[in-house]
Amino acid sequence: MTNLANKQKGTFTIELVMVLILFSFVVVFTMDIVSKQAVAGKLDRLAYSTVSLIKERTQLFDGEDDMSTVEAATFLRLVSESLEATMESFDSSRLGVFIEQQRFNSEQQPISSGSGNGTFDLGGYNCEPATRLSQKLELAPVTNFGNRLTLYQVTICYRTDNMFGELMGETWELARSTAISVAR
């Protein structure tokens, strides 16, 4: 009788260890998802705010239609400082910002903008968007005067910690947000 009870205790212990290992994977996965969602929420708000500032820069700062490299660097610094103020363990080498501007000529055809060709890849992390602005030209509305308005797209990426990915031998660390706006 005691031999059977010892075998049942051993089986219970093995099952308990397996359940606890599975439970710990679920806890780490949940923590990883929550932290990535928190970062993604910050990036969403910041991308929307940044694209709004970019579209209003001609009105607010008497700027030119073409965005310059200096202006793009200023927006990178603004994004970096904002994230540094809201994230505890912010590291600027994990940040990437991709700014695109698409202008149109009088025949409503896309034209290149400035020396950066209307695109600025900034920061210490490659952040090229999944879909470039040149593939979304139909979003540019046509004014009453027959002109297409300039489009702006800001993509902000941040390489988050890879807690669950390290356990699984994968890389799931990128948080990305994209915002699009139309000029005035």
Side-chain angles (χ1 to χ4, degrees):
M1 240 350 168
T2 59
N3 194 14
L4 181 60
N6 282 340
K7 285 183 181 180
Q8 286 179 345
K9 284 182 185 178
T11 303
F12 174 76
T13 304
I14 291 171
E15 289 173 357
L16 178 64
V17 167
M18 292 173 66
V19 168
L20 289 176
I21 288 172
L22 180 65
F23 182 70
S24 64
F25 274 109
V26 170
V27 168
V28 170
F29 178 72
T30 304
M31 287 173 37
D32 201 29
I33 292 295
V34 167
S35 70
K36 283 177 181 33
Q37 286 296 325
V39 170
K42 290 174 183 151
L43 295 182
D44 286 344
R45 289 187 296 278
L46 196 53
Y48 177 76
S49 297
T50 304
V51 81
S52 295
L53 281 173
I54 289 173
K55 83 171 188 172
E56 296 292 341
R57 81 187 195 293
T58 55
Q59 297 293 322
L60 295 172
F61 305 110
D62 196 27
E64 303 221 358
D65 223 9
D66 255 357
M67 189 180 337
S68 69
T69 305
V70 172
E71 287 176 316
T74 301
F75 285 115
L76 172 65
R77 192 177 78 244
L78 177 70
V79 167
S80 182
E81 289 174 1
S82 296
L83 285 174
E84 188 173 9
T86 59
M87 290 175 64
E88 218 174 273
S89 60
F90 176 74
D91 179 5
S92 61
S93 67
R94 295 175 156 203
L95 175 66
V97 177
F98 198 88
I99 300 172
E100 293 179 274
Q101 174 185 25
Q102 182 61 64
R103 296 176 52 221
F104 299 89
N105 63 17
S106 59
E107 287 83 37
Q108 299 182 9
Q109 299 303 312
I111 57 173
S112 298
S113 300
S115 61
N117 213 17
T119 63
F120 303 91
D121 192 0
L122 309 162
Y125 195 74
N126 182 15
C127 188
E128 193 162 328
T131 307
R132 297 289 297 265
L133 194 55
S134 59
Q135 297 170 321
K136 302 175 186 176
L137 299 179
E138 71 277 358
L139 295 177
V142 178
T143 67
N144 292 339
F145 302 108
N147 300 322
R148 279 196 181 268
L149 294 177
T150 302
L151 288 174
Y152 300 99
Q153 178 171 289
V154 173
T155 302
I156 302 175
C157 302
Y158 190 76
R159 186 172 46 90
T160 61
D161 294 330
N162 192 30
M163 293 183 284
F164 187 71
E166 287 176 1
L167 289 175
M168 301 304 291
E170 298 286 333
T171 303
W172 297 320
E173 59 190 14
L174 181 64
R176 175 191 315 246
S177 181
T178 299
I180 298 174
S181 187
V182 177
R184 286 182 152 220

